[in-house]
Amino acid sequence: MKKATKVIHVGGEPDKETGAIMPPIYQTSTYVQSSPGVHKGYEYTRSHNPTRTRLEECLAGLENAKHALVTSSGLSIEMLIMHALPSGSTIICGDDVYGGTYRLFTTVFNTIHNFLFIDTTDLKKVEAALKEHKPALIWVETPTNPLLKISDIKAISVLAKKYKTKTIVDNTFMSPYFQNPLDLGADMVMHSMTKYINGHSDVIGGCVMLNDKVMHKKLWTLQNSIGPTQSPFDSWLVLRGVKTLAVRMEAHAKNALKIAKYLEKHPKVERVIYPGLSSHPQHKIAKKQMSGFGGMITFFLRGDIKKCNKFLSTVKTFSLAESLGGVESLIEHPAIMTHASVPKAVRESIGLTDNLIRLSVGIEDIEDLIADLDKAFAKV
Ligand code: P1T
């Protein structure tokens, strides 16, 4: 089955009891047992819920995985993965990751594990770190947030196996539609479902997909013990949103390429980063491992933070807001907003400067989006 069919039919089968074409929302906290311990596979919604089970089936299908686990947010799936590792583990993590991931690793799990941040686009650095530290896990966000750096998933997975290290890919920016890390050799793939998978900016959620049954059980047990489950209604909203993933992703990518080309020619833009541009440093790897280039663009405005603020408060069709991956276009200033928890010196060492602006290109009419940017450029 192709992905555009899977998003609609895997986990989306008609209700067996009534024939309802849309899955029911099992808005229940508990389930009646016929005698103690005798039930239909469902005891309590923190542990399992039939609406969530359908979503997990759909997500496993989309990432070609045997198992999926859905949680209350992207960060809560990251938390469960960290708890699943033996304390004192070493984790190699990309040096450019979502600010909340960086905060979770450096201010919460830093007392339990050792984190080493390196540029995972540099395979020599990756191999040297694997050899020296023999980490339990390598955490690869690709493309990265917000610099859109692209790491070679296949090459890293091969290297990691050599040193008995597990590889996880944060695939949030590509969605399962444009990139499937497990097919490229990764052990686990995670998403903030808040973004493209749901696609409508009305749910917070996270998920992990994997083939390792033991690890899946461990993560489920942790989720059940700690409690960050997703509500049945939110799981239903994601099941509803994911049905249009294929058409949305194609539309995001089409608009984003046009905007990236427009920005590349604009005299008030210092540099544009978009995986679909041949000027992107890892464009070749992007073409090899992704089937589309996504809807995220980062650009450096010619000028200082004052000019950025003017630009960001002038746009109208682009809403100034954190998050990404919804049908509507969003714009934000990573240094002040999504990556404020990364210390300035660290931000600057990786090139996340104060004149950097991030776009989540929506699926509106391209002419309206470009007209909106034009107006903002005229003001700076
Ligand atoms: O927000 P939450 O669902 O908990 O997901 C966290 C997360 C994890 N990984 C990546 C790559 C992300 O981008 C995020 C969340 N990012 C934003 C809110 C943002 O605006 O970048």
Side-chain angles (χ1 to χ4, degrees):
M1 213 188 272
K2 302 280 189 205
K3 279 182 204 163
T5 314
K6 275 188 189 174
V7 288
I8 295 168
H9 292 290
V10 180
E13 299 80 5
D15 178 39
K16 282 204 180 82
E17 226 165 85
T18 62
I21 189 115
M22 286 301 135
I25 310 168
Y26 285 91
Q27 195 67 34
T28 185
S29 57
T30 193
Y31 308 81
V32 176
Q33 307 194 4
S34 54
S35 59
V38 180
H39 52 76
K40 296 176 176 167
Y42 292 94
E43 290 167 275
Y44 190 60
T45 280
R46 179 173 11 84
S47 324
H48 291 109
N49 176 278
T51 313
R52 208 163 62 230
T53 304
R54 276 181 177 258
L55 177 58
E56 287 169 346
E57 282 167 14
C58 177
L59 295 168
L62 290 179
E63 286 286 14
N64 303 320
K66 289 194 182 127
H67 311 285
L69 185 72
V70 161
T71 61
S72 57
S73 67
L75 284 182
S76 64
I77 201 76
E78 297 182 14
M79 170 190 74
L80 296 182
I81 293 162
M82 288 303 121
H83 278 307
L85 300 175
S87 58
S89 291
T90 296
I91 295 133
I92 294 179
C93 180
D95 59 2
D96 177 40
V97 286
Y98 167 54
T101 302
Y102 184 86
R103 181 179 53 207
L104 181 72
F105 292 173
T106 57
T107 70
V108 180
F109 282 99
N110 60 323
T111 55
I112 300 174
H113 301 312
N114 312 303
F115 292 90
L116 186 72
F117 293 88
I118 65 163
D119 180 1
T120 52
T121 67
D122 185 336
L123 292 175
K124 284 204 182 100
K125 278 191 189 155
V126 169
E127 173 137 41
L130 287 166
K131 201 171 174 179
E132 186 182 343
H133 301 282
K134 308 260 178 340
L137 187 70
I138 177 161
W139 190 282
V140 184
E141 193 179 286
T142 181
T144 60
N145 182 357
L147 293 167
L148 303 172
K149 293 199 285 185
I150 291 169
S151 296
D152 188 330
I153 299 171
K154 203 174 204 171
I156 291 178
S157 303
V158 168
L159 284 175
K161 277 194 180 71
K162 195 169 138 191
Y163 295 96
K164 298 191 167 44
T165 297
K166 299 285 182 201
T167 305
I168 181 163
V169 174
D170 182 338
N171 198 21
T172 299
F173 273 28
M174 278 301 105
S175 89
Y177 185 69
F178 281 147
Q179 180 168 270
N180 294 119
L182 300 185
D183 293 353
L184 298 166
D187 297 289
M188 289 185 276
V189 52
M190 66 138 290
H191 292 264
S192 164
M193 287 198 307
T194 315
K195 318 303 179 197
Y196 290 107
I197 290 180
N198 178 54
H200 293 76
S201 305
D202 51 11
V203 166
I204 300 283
C207 60
V208 67
M209 279 71 95
L210 68 172
N211 290 319
D212 180 343
K213 193 176 168 183
V214 175
M215 184 63 168
H216 176 250
K217 181 79 194 295
K218 200 170 186 177
L219 290 169
W220 175 82
T221 305
L222 281 163
Q223 189 212 40
N224 196 33
S225 309
I226 301 170
T229 45
Q230 190 175 50
S231 76
F233 183 55
D234 281 357
S235 291
W236 185 85
L237 281 173
V238 182
L239 270 171
R240 187 179 204 257
V242 79
K243 284 181 199 287
T244 53
L245 184 71
V247 283
R248 281 189 285 110
M249 291 315 293
E250 294 291 351
H252 282 296
K254 196 171 157 208
N255 274 355
L257 182 62
K258 285 191 181 147
I259 291 179
K261 285 184 173 164
Y262 156 84
L263 291 170
E264 210 170 31
K265 285 203 203 101
H266 205 288
K268 290 183 180 169
V269 171
E270 203 174 274
R271 189 159 72 91
V272 187
I273 312 176
Y274 180 66
L277 294 176
S278 53
S279 58
H280 188 289
Q282 294 96 29
H283 179 61
K284 270 199 188 136
I285 300 168
K287 279 207 292 196
K288 196 178 68 172
Q289 70 186 16
M290 292 146 49
S291 58
F293 302 113
M296 299 301 296
I297 301 175
T298 289
F299 71 96
F300 298 85
L301 190 75
R302 238 178 247 291
D304 55 9
I305 198 157
K306 263 172 99 180
K307 281 200 173 165
C308 283
N309 283 340
K310 184 78 194 157
F311 188 91
L312 291 163
S313 43
T314 306
V315 283
K316 285 251 155 25
T317 314
F318 279 88
S319 301
L320 176 60
E322 299 195 4
S323 202
L324 58 112
V327 290
E328 67 293 317
S329 292
L330 300 182
I331 191 164
E332 68 114 6
H333 189 269
I336 298 176
M337 298 166 71
T338 51
H339 292 70
S341 53
V342 180
K344 191 173 168 67
V346 176
R347 283 201 309 265
E348 292 193 339
S349 72
I350 59 163
L352 202 172
T353 49
D354 285 353
N355 63 336
L356 186 147
I357 291 175
R358 191 188 77 181
L359 302 178
S360 169
V361 179
I363 63 170
E364 300 95 334
D365 191 288
I366 187 67
E367 285 182 21
D368 292 326
L369 295 178
I370 291 187
D372 195 40
L373 295 173
D374 261 343
K375 241 188 257 166
F377 277 122
K379 283 272 164 75
V380 296

